[in-house]
Structures are given as structure tokens and as C-alpha cells.
Amino acid sequence: MGALCAGHSRDTLDRFSDRCLHVSPCLSDPARRSTCCLRIALVMLHLIYLGVLFVFDKDLIHKTKEEPWYTTVYLILFAATLAQYFITSGSSPGYVVDAMRAVNEADASRNRASITSKQPASSKNGDVVIAIDSLQGRGTIAWTKLVMDMYPSGTSLRGVTCSHCNVVQPPRAKHCHDCDKCVLQFDHHCVWLGTCIGQGNHCAFWWYICGETALSLWTGTLYIQFLKSDISKPWWLYAIMILLLATLFFCLIFLLLLLLFHSYLILTNQTTYELVRRRRIQYLRNIPERVYPFSRGACRNLYEFCCAQRSKYRMEPLPTGQELEDKLRPYTCSDVLSCRCCC
């Protein structure tokens, strides 16, 4: 009888699981399922910190009635931070295969327009179709030429071709084994976001860290004010508040360090991968540590990071020998006055 009940329960569980996978096919992928669970946990953690304040902090409720703008601004920051989290997690980091497809389509369109304009008026449509079909393989050649022009002459094609994606990688691109794709200006794979951080979403990632840091700092201040208030509190509430505040403190330290680290990377036009694995990257291993080969000055780097990202697939060529020599030259007073270090 027990075995029959166990078998029936197992069948019911299997049917429920199949129904869930049918409604949400993405849950069948273990990686996506893990990412989904992390997202739910992160949202629940935010709601717990917010809920404890508004349930037990009577001073905050009273202050909200007297000065509603204070709580309104806090709730706007709370909602904006969560919205920025989902925007960043759902954005593309800029995959190499997408950039290659865009280049191929642009090249095919140019070739098609060129052939159509050169075609005699008396020619048949079939001839035009044949001519266009003969150019379908030129897109890959166009991408290869575009990328190889970014490397020094004599660079081997095999040395810059990804062994997993079988695509020619531009400088600063790297294959992510979690996403199983090559990413432009690969920074790192963020487990909490469930996506890579690259050229396409690094700016959104920085703004998310900035919002999360501000939210954590404000929430920590509210928790400290609640603990210092004269409101009588049971011992278990004290224990919960102190535990939450201690956890928030460690998260805030981590967020501050992460924000400062990525601000430094932005000002010097580097990525986490380039900084950590500099000696393993072929085109960076012979460059001195204090030289930032892709930097154009702090102000120019900041402008291009925040304001000049017109295309998700913007790629940077490797600097020439003369450019590296200029970067090796130490700064002088005239360089500072002429803004060499910041523009």
C-alpha cells in the first residue's frame, strides 16, 4: 500500500514538473533554472529589508505621514534599482556572432545595391538573382578582413579564431563558457545577473551597482535609526534587525569596492578580464603594467563609456607601436595643462 502511494505521488510530481516545463521551457535548462532562482532570491531579499522597516518602524511610518517626499524618494530608488537589475540582466553584452551578422548584412546590402545600380536595363531579373547569390559568401570575408585589420600585420588567422564558436575574434573579445558565446570587450560573467558583462551592457551594469550601493546605504541608515529609537522592541526583533544590518554591512562593503573597481576600469578603459589575466593575453603580455593600451584619457574614456556608445558592436583596434611609445612617456606639467592625461 505504501509503495502504491509513493508511486502515485511520484507520478503526480512528474506530471506537475512536466506541466511547469511546458509553461516555462526555460526551466528545463539547469543554468537558466539556477539564474531564475537567484533572481527570485535577490528580489525577495530586497522585499524583506523593505518589509521589516515598514512593519516595525513606527517612526518611519509617522515620518511618512508628515514628510511623504522622504519615503517617496526612497521607494523610487528601491523600484529603480530593481528595474535596473532586470534591465541589465536582460540586456545583451554584445556577442561577436551578432556583430559578425550585422557586418555581413551591411556588406551584402552594399553589394546588392552596387550590382543593381550597375545592372543594364535590358538584363533579366534572373541574372541579378544569380549575381547576388554569388556574393553570399563575401560577408564572412568582409568580417575577417575587418577584424584582421585591427591586429598588427603578420597576425595568424588561426591565432585569433575561437575554437568553440569558430568565429574570428576582434581584440578584447573572449569566449564565455557559461554563455557559450564570444563576447565583445568581455569583462566577466555575473552569476547574480545570469549574463555576461561586456561592451553592450557594462554601462547598465555600472548604473545598477551605483543604485544598489545608494539603496544599501540608505537602508542601513534607516535600520540604525530604528535601533537607536526609543520605541520598545522585543529581543527577537533586536536580533533580527542586527542580523539583517550585519548582512547589509558586508554587502555594502562589497558593493562599494565593486563600484570603485569598475569606476577605475572605466577611467582607464580596461576590463576585469584584461586586468586579471593580462599576462595570459597575447597582445597585452609585453606591455608594461602601468600602461593602458586602449585608454584615451580619463575624460575621453568616460565620455565614450557613458555618452558615445552609438553602436553595441563598436570595436577598438590594437594600438600601434607609436601610440604605445606615447603612452610610455611620463606626464609633464605641459601635458597636464594641455589635458593629455584627461582627453
Side-chain angles (χ1 to χ4, degrees), residues 199-214:
Q199 185 189 81
N201 60 358
H202 199 175
C203 184
F205 176 72
W206 187 89
W207 280 111
Y208 165 65
I209 298 173
C210 189
E212 196 72 74
T213 304

Side-chain angles (χ1 to χ4, degrees), residues 88-190:
T88 307
S89 64
S91 60
S92 170
Y95 296 115
V96 174
V97 66
D98 294 333
M100 184 175 69
R101 188 180 298 113
V103 170
N104 292 351
E105 291 175 356
D107 185 68
S109 298
R110 285 193 299 268
N111 292 331
R112 190 179 296 112
S114 175
I115 290 177
T116 304
S117 63
K118 293 178 181 180
Q119 194 71 22
S122 59
S123 64
K124 297 180 180 180
N125 291 335
D127 296 334
V128 177
V129 173
I130 293 172
I132 293 174
D133 289 342
S134 66
L135 293 171
Q136 287 181 350
R138 290 184 57 180
T140 305
I141 298 174
W143 169 257
T144 303
K145 184 180 184 305
L146 176 68
V147 172
M148 293 307 294
D149 287 343
M150 299 179 184
Y151 290 96
S153 58
T155 302
S156 170
L157 179 63
R158 175 182 247 177
V160 296
T161 302
C162 177
S163 58
H164 302 278
C165 298
N166 198 29
V167 297
V168 183
Q169 291 180 334
R172 313 190 73 182
K174 182 190 177 295
H175 184 86
C176 174
H177 295 281
D178 294 290
C179 297
D180 198 26
K181 291 181 181 178
C182 290
V183 179
L184 295 170
Q185 286 190 23
F186 175 83
D187 189 88
H188 70 285
H189 183 89
C190 182

Side-chain angles (χ1 to χ4, degrees), residues 34-50:
S34 175
T35 300
C36 184
C37 292
L38 284 174
R39 289 176 180 173
I40 293 174
L42 189 69
V43 173
M44 290 300 298
L45 192 63
H46 281 74
L47 293 176
I48 287 171
Y49 274 94
L50 182 69

Side-chain angles (χ1 to χ4, degrees), residues 7-76:
H8 184 267
S9 301
R10 193 179 298 110
D11 292 339
T12 304
L13 184 62
D14 290 340
R15 284 197 298 271
F16 177 75
S17 177
D18 292 339
R19 186 172 299 177
C20 291
L21 294 178
H22 179 73
V23 174
S24 301
C26 62
L27 296 178
S28 60
D29 185 358
R32 291 188 179 183
R33 189 163 58 244
S34 175
T35 300
C36 184
C37 292
L38 284 174
R39 289 176 180 173
I40 293 174
L42 189 69
V43 173
M44 290 300 298
L45 192 63
H46 281 74
L47 293 176
I48 287 171
Y49 274 94
L50 182 69
V52 168
L53 279 175
F54 281 92
V55 169
F56 297 105
D57 193 350
K58 296 180 181 178
D59 282 349
L60 180 61
I61 298 173
H62 181 69
K63 189 174 183 178
T64 301
K65 294 178 181 178
E66 292 184 346
E67 301 175 352
W69 64 267
Y70 182 85
T71 306
T72 301
V73 174
Y74 176 75
L75 292 176
I76 289 174

